[in-house]
Amino acid sequence: MKMKISPKLKFTILFCLSIFTLTVKAKTVTTPKIKPSQEWIDQKFSMFIHFGLYSVYGGVYEGKSVERGYSEQIQSFAGIFSDWYGETANEFNPLKWNPDSVVSLAKQAGMKSIIFTSKHHDGFCMYHSRYTEFNIVDATPYSRDLMKELADACRRGGIGFGVYYSLIDWHYPHAYPISSHNADPLTDEHYEFNMKQIEEIMTNYGDISEIWFDMGSLTPEQSKGLYELVNRLQPDCMISGRLGNDYVDFAVMADNEYPDYKMGIPWQTAASIFNETWGYRSWQVRGDLQEKREEKISSLMKVISRGGNYLLNIGPRGDGSIVEFERDVLLGVGNWISKNSEAIYGSEASPFHTPFEWGDITYNNDKIYAFISKMPANSKIELSGFKGKVKSAELLSTGQPLFFSQKGDKLIINADMGINNRGIDTEAVSEAEFPVIKISFVDGFTINPSIIVNDGKLIPGNSMPVFGHSSLNYYAGYKSLTGYNWAFKTGRKSIIPKLSFTESEVGRSLKLNIDGESQIVTLKPSGEKTITTPKGSVMWGKLYRKPGKGVFGNLEEEGLDFVSVGQLSEDLKTVWKEVIDYKYGEKYQEKISPRQSFILLQEIESDRNQTIAVRLGSGNGAYIILNGRYITAHLSPKRLKYQEEIVLLPLTKGKNQLIVKYYNGYEKKLSYSITPLNEWTIFENNLSSYNLQEKEYHTISLTAEDAESYVSPIRMNNIVIELN
C-alpha cells in the first residue's frame, strides 16, 4: 500500500495494516485535530522532573542514608511522621531554581516537552492549589507558584508543558493511609478532591501537552470521570494509561521498561538516570559519565525504533539546582541527537518484522535509518526483507558516503575504514557515538511480510500479531494482544472466508479487513463440528508451581523454548515445586493477597503435531504461554471473580510446556482450574464471497469490534480463517 497514513489512521486499531507492506514516499498531514496530535507523536524525547518536598531530604533522614525505596517516597520508607514531614516545608526555599535555565537544558538535550510533578504521593503541591495549604506558595518561604513559572518558561522557550499527578495522597485526611504498594483505592472524598485539583491544573496553567497520572487503584467510574474531565477542559491533552481501567490516550510501560516488541498504539517509557530513584539522592553513586550517556542513548534508540516516546527524568536538589552529573548526561545525549536528529524527530518505528543484531531502525519518507549499537565482527551491516532500489548509504552525522552492494532484497554496507576509505570508524561505537546510517531509495521501498501463508488457513500461530499495553493500575499492566495480521498468496480471483471458533468466541463482534476493505462480523454459528483428540496421543505430565513476582505482565518464562524446572529463577530465590494430587476439572480456591500471583507449569507430551483444547478457569487475570510463546493475557476492568475459557493449544511433537500466571487483583481469594478436553465443538461462519485484485500477496487483519478499549486484549486466540 502507498505510504500515505494520516495521524488518525496511525494509531487507531487498524494501525496494524501498515506492518504488512510499506511503499514509502512522503507523509501527508490531515487537517482535523485529533488525539494523538502529530506533534505529540513526533516529539520522541521529553524531560521528566521529580521535584518536591522530598528533594530537601536528598535521600537522608536523621543523618542516615535511606537505602530502601525511591527517594521521592522517603516519607514512607523512612517512616517519617506526617507532622514532622510537613514541617519540612519551612525549610523548602529553592532559590537556585531557574525555570528558563531548565527549559534551556531540555532544549539542548533535544527534548521537546517537560513533564513536571505537580503533586507526588506525599500530597505536597508544587503549584498554588486552593484546596490545600500544603503547597509551595502557602507553606514555604519560597511563596511562589513554581509550576506556573515553569509553564510560562516552557511557552517562552517553545516547548510543551505537561504535568505529573499522583492519584494517591498521603497528606489528604480522607485518603487511605500510607501503604507498602501505592495501589490503594480512592475514597469518595479523595476522588472528589482529585477532581477539583485536576480542574484547577487544567484551567490555570495554559495548554497542557499531557497529564501523567500515577498509582492508586481506581474504579472504572473514577477513571472515566477524570478522563472525561481532562478531555472537556483540555481536548488536546494526552492522558497516560496509568489512570487505569484502560482509559488511555498513550500507554506507559513499567518504570525503566524497554519492550522488545512493537506496539500499534501511542506509548511512552519513563526512565530515571538511575533505576534506584527518581527524586534527588545526595549519596547516589553516579559512576562513569560516558557509560551513563551510552546507556541513555541506547535506551532512546530502543524506544523510538519501536514507535514510543522516551521520557527521561532529572531530580533537582532541594535548593532547586540541577545535579551536574545529570545535566552532563543530558548534554551528552543532546550532542548525539543534534548530529542525528533527522533519524529521530518525526520518524516512524521500524517497519521490519524481525530485529537486527547490529542495532535498531527508524524510517522517514523514502529513507531508512540504521542505528548501529553493536558492530558486527566483519564490519558489515546487512539489511534484508525489503524491495526497492538503494540510491545511497551515508553516515548521517557527517554525510560521508559508504560503500554498499545490493542483490535483490539484501543490502550489505561496508563499515570497515580499511576498504576504499569509505566506511564507519568502528571505534566510534565504543565511544558512545552510535553511528547512524542513512539509506536512501530511488523510488521508495516496500517491506516484505515476515510470514506469507500459502495453504489458505490463517491461525494465530502464522499471524503477525499486534500488541498494546493494557493497564488497570500500575501493578496490573501487561502486554495485550490487540489484533492479528496475515499475508497470504492464492491463485483464486475470489475467496469465501470461513471463520472457525469455539464457544468462548460465540457472540463476539470483530472487524475483518481484507486488502484494505473492512466489514463487521458477529460470530453466530451457522455450522458446527466436534473435534476429538486421538486416543493415547497426548499425555498430561507433571504440574509445577512457583510464586509470581512483580507486576502482572512480568513473566520471565516468556520467550524461552524450554524451562528447566530444576533451575532457580533469576533472583535465585524462587524455584518450581511439583504439585501433588492435583485434580483436573476441579475448581480450586485459595486465599491470596491482592496484587499477588502464582505460576503453574504443566508438562504435556504429544506423539504428533496437533491442536488440543483445555478449559482454563481464572480469577481476575491470567497470562498464558505455550512453549515460551504468547497465547493470550487478560485482566478485565470488570473485575470478574472467576471466568472460564477454552484455549486451543498447538502442540509440537514431543514435550510441551503450558505456563499460566494467575493473578489476584482485588479479591480475598483466587479461583482457578485446569480441565483437559478430549473433545470440543468448533463453530463456523461462512462469509460472503470477496473478489481479489491481482497482487503478489494479499492481507487480512482482525481486531475486536467489541473491545472495551483500543488497548484491551482481543481474546480471540482460537479463531481460524479458511480461504475457500
Side-chain angles (χ1 to χ4, degrees), residues 413-691:
I413 300 173
N414 202 314
D416 187 345
M417 286 294 290
I419 297 183
N420 296 331
N421 200 31
R422 298 175 66 191
I424 300 173
D425 182 355
T426 55
E427 292 183 0
V429 176
S430 63
E431 295 172 0
E433 291 296 333
F434 292 105
V436 181
I437 300 174
K438 180 168 82 171
I439 305 165
S440 301
F441 292 80
V442 173
D443 188 28
F445 62 89
T446 299
I447 300 300
N448 300 328
S450 59
I451 302 173
I452 298 181
V453 181
N454 291 300
D455 64 2
K457 191 172 183 178
L458 310 180
I459 61 176
N462 59 23
S463 73
M464 293 170 282
V466 180
F467 291 103
H469 185 84
S470 180
S471 179
L472 272 64
N473 55 53
Y474 176 82
Y475 295 94
Y478 64 101
K479 179 172 71 172
S480 56
L481 196 155
T482 59
Y484 298 104
N485 295 327
W486 291 274
F488 69 94
K489 285 186 176 181
T490 180
R492 301 187 183 98
K493 294 183 178 181
S494 65
I495 57 172
I496 303 176
K498 181 173 73 174
L499 305 182
S500 301
F501 47 95
T502 71
E503 64 185 60
S504 294
E505 292 81 37
V506 171
R508 295 289 307 279
S509 178
L510 58 86
K511 180 178 286 187
L512 197 65
N513 186 295
I514 304 176
D515 282 347
E517 294 187 19
S518 296
Q519 59 178 310
I520 307 300
V521 178
T522 300
L523 297 177
K524 297 180 179 179
S526 57
E528 62 181 67
K529 58 184 177 182
T530 300
I531 306 296
T532 303
T533 301
K535 189 175 182 179
S537 65
V538 175
M539 183 179 73
W540 284 68
K542 293 181 178 180
L543 181 68
Y544 296 90
R545 172 173 171 159
K546 74 172 184 177
K549 63 179 182 179
V551 299
F552 169 57
N554 176 33
L555 187 58
E556 60 188 7
E557 290 76 18
E558 185 175 355
L560 300 179
D561 295 333
F562 184 79
V563 176
S564 174
V565 293
Q567 184 176 346
L568 288 173
S569 63
E570 291 180 353
D571 59 10
L572 302 180
K573 294 179 181 178
T574 54
V575 65
W576 295 101
K577 295 182 179 179
E578 185 176 354
V579 179
I580 306 298
D581 297 329
Y582 183 83
K583 296 180 180 179
Y584 296 98
E586 183 173 314
K587 178 181 175 182
Y588 285 84
Q589 203 172 56
E590 293 184 18
K591 185 175 181 180
I592 181 172
S593 299
R595 296 168 303 281
Q596 299 300 310
S597 62
F598 64 85
I599 305 171
L600 295 180
L601 185 153
Q602 174 67 61
E603 295 181 339
I604 308 173
E605 190 156 356
S606 176
D607 67 1
R608 67 197 75 182
N609 293 333
Q610 63 176 321
T611 296
I612 67 168
V614 60
R615 187 184 300 275
L616 290 178
S618 59
N620 297 149
Y623 200 112
I624 305 169
I625 63 175
L626 177 68
N627 300 328
R629 185 170 181 175
Y630 184 109
I631 299 292
T632 187
H634 51 81
L635 186 57
S636 171
K638 296 178 181 178
R639 308 187 181 198
L640 301 177
K641 293 183 178 181
Y642 183 71
Q643 56 188 311
E644 289 187 343
E645 62 189 312
I646 291 179
V647 180
L648 300 184
L649 302 176
L651 302 183
T652 58
K653 183 179 180 180
K655 294 182 179 180
N656 296 264
Q657 293 179 328
L658 170 66
I659 296 178
V660 183
K661 182 175 185 177
Y662 288 107
Y663 181 83
N664 182 34
Y666 312 98
E667 310 301 330
K668 293 181 180 179
K669 293 182 179 180
L670 186 149
S671 301
Y672 64 99
S673 63
I674 301 177
T675 308
L677 300 178
N678 293 322
E679 66 176 35
W680 63 97
T681 301
I682 292 293
F683 301 97
E684 298 174 343
N685 263 160
N686 287 305
L687 305 184
S688 302
S689 177
Y690 186 91
N691 294 324

Side-chain angles (χ1 to χ4, degrees), residues 110-147:
M111 295 163 156
K112 298 300 184 180
S113 69
I114 292 177
I115 314 304
F116 183 75
T117 46
S118 66
K119 183 182 77 170
H120 210 272
H121 308 337
D122 59 4
F124 184 80
C125 297
M126 294 293 285
Y127 70 99
H128 194 193
S129 175
R130 73 184 71 166
Y131 300 107
T132 176
E133 293 184 354
F134 198 47
N135 69 73
I136 194 166
V137 176
D138 296 323
T140 76
Y142 191 70
S143 301
R144 287 155 50 191
D145 192 330
L146 187 146
M147 190 171 88

Side-chain angles (χ1 to χ4, degrees), residues 111-403:
M111 295 163 156
K112 298 300 184 180
S113 69
I114 292 177
I115 314 304
F116 183 75
T117 46
S118 66
K119 183 182 77 170
H120 210 272
H121 308 337
D122 59 4
F124 184 80
C125 297
M126 294 293 285
Y127 70 99
H128 194 193
S129 175
R130 73 184 71 166
Y131 300 107
T132 176
E133 293 184 354
F134 198 47
N135 69 73
I136 194 166
V137 176
D138 296 323
T140 76
Y142 191 70
S143 301
R144 287 155 50 191
D145 192 330
L146 187 146
M147 190 171 88
K148 188 177 189 309
E149 293 177 359
L150 178 60
D152 293 342
C154 285
R155 277 182 278 279
R156 286 194 299 272
I159 65 174
F161 174 73
V163 296
Y164 167 106
Y165 183 86
S166 171
L167 291 163
I168 61 172
D169 189 321
W170 297 333
H171 184 79
Y172 184 64
H174 301 293
Y176 277 77
I178 297 175
S179 66
S180 63
H181 50 75
N182 296 337
D184 296 301
L186 300 187
T187 63
D188 291 342
E189 296 87 351
H190 188 189
Y191 170 65
E192 290 302 323
F193 177 73
N194 283 352
M195 289 284 283
K196 291 175 182 178
Q197 287 201 318
I198 293 302
E199 182 175 16
E200 65 183 357
I201 290 172
M202 291 292 129
T203 303
N204 299 331
Y205 293 85
D207 291 337
I208 307 293
S209 62
E210 68 186 68
I211 182 164
W212 221 90
F213 290 110
D214 196 22
M215 293 303 173
S217 182
L218 282 63
T219 66
E221 293 75 22
Q222 289 172 338
S223 294
K224 181 175 185 287
L226 283 162
Y227 186 85
E228 291 179 346
L229 175 64
V230 173
N231 274 331
R232 176 170 61 83
L233 297 174
Q234 297 252 8
D236 298 324
C237 178
M238 292 287 286
I239 302 171
S240 79
R242 290 197 187 177
L243 176 57
N245 296 298
D246 284 349
Y247 282 93
V248 51
D249 290 333
F250 67 97
V252 177
M253 302 297 101
D255 296 351
N256 292 289
E257 180 187 7
Y258 305 98
D260 57 0
Y261 55 91
K262 288 195 302 181
M263 284 178 279
I265 60 171
W267 66 277
Q268 183 187 83
T269 280
S272 50
I273 296 290
F274 305 97
N275 290 0
E276 301 89 344
T277 190
W278 299 75
Y280 171 60
R281 178 174 283 181
S282 60
W283 48 270
Q284 178 71 45
V285 177
R286 292 176 170 82
D288 183 77
L289 178 63
Q290 185 71 5
E291 288 182 5
K292 187 59 67 173
R293 286 173 178 165
E294 284 187 25
E295 177 188 312
K296 299 310 169 187
I297 293 172
S298 177
S299 297
L300 172 65
M301 293 190 301
K302 290 176 184 176
V303 171
I304 64 174
S305 68
R306 291 159 178 79
N309 283 354
Y310 189 46
L311 182 62
L312 183 57
N313 179 75
I314 61 170
R317 299 181 180 94
D319 62 8
S321 61
I322 305 301
V323 177
E324 291 75 14
F325 184 89
E326 297 182 355
R327 177 201 63 200
D328 292 344
V329 169
L330 296 191
L331 292 175
V333 175
N335 181 56
W336 178 84
I337 288 177
S338 67
K339 300 174 184 177
N340 300 289
S341 60
E342 181 183 326
I344 298 168
Y345 304 120
S347 67
E348 308 281 353
S350 172
F352 292 88
H353 310 296
T354 54
F356 297 93
E357 291 186 3
W358 43 258
D360 298 293
I361 282 178
T362 64
Y363 79 93
N364 201 339
N365 297 324
D366 63 346
K367 298 174 178 61
I368 287 176
Y369 302 94
F371 296 77
I372 313 303
S373 56
K374 183 180 178 182
M375 183 65 69
N378 61 2
S379 298
K380 298 184 190 303
I381 306 301
E382 297 187 9
L383 191 69
S384 59
F386 68 92
K387 291 182 180 178
K389 184 178 180 181
V390 176
K391 179 171 61 177
S392 63
E394 62 186 66
L395 187 61
L396 181 59
S397 60
T398 63
Q400 179 185 359
L402 304 174
F403 179 80

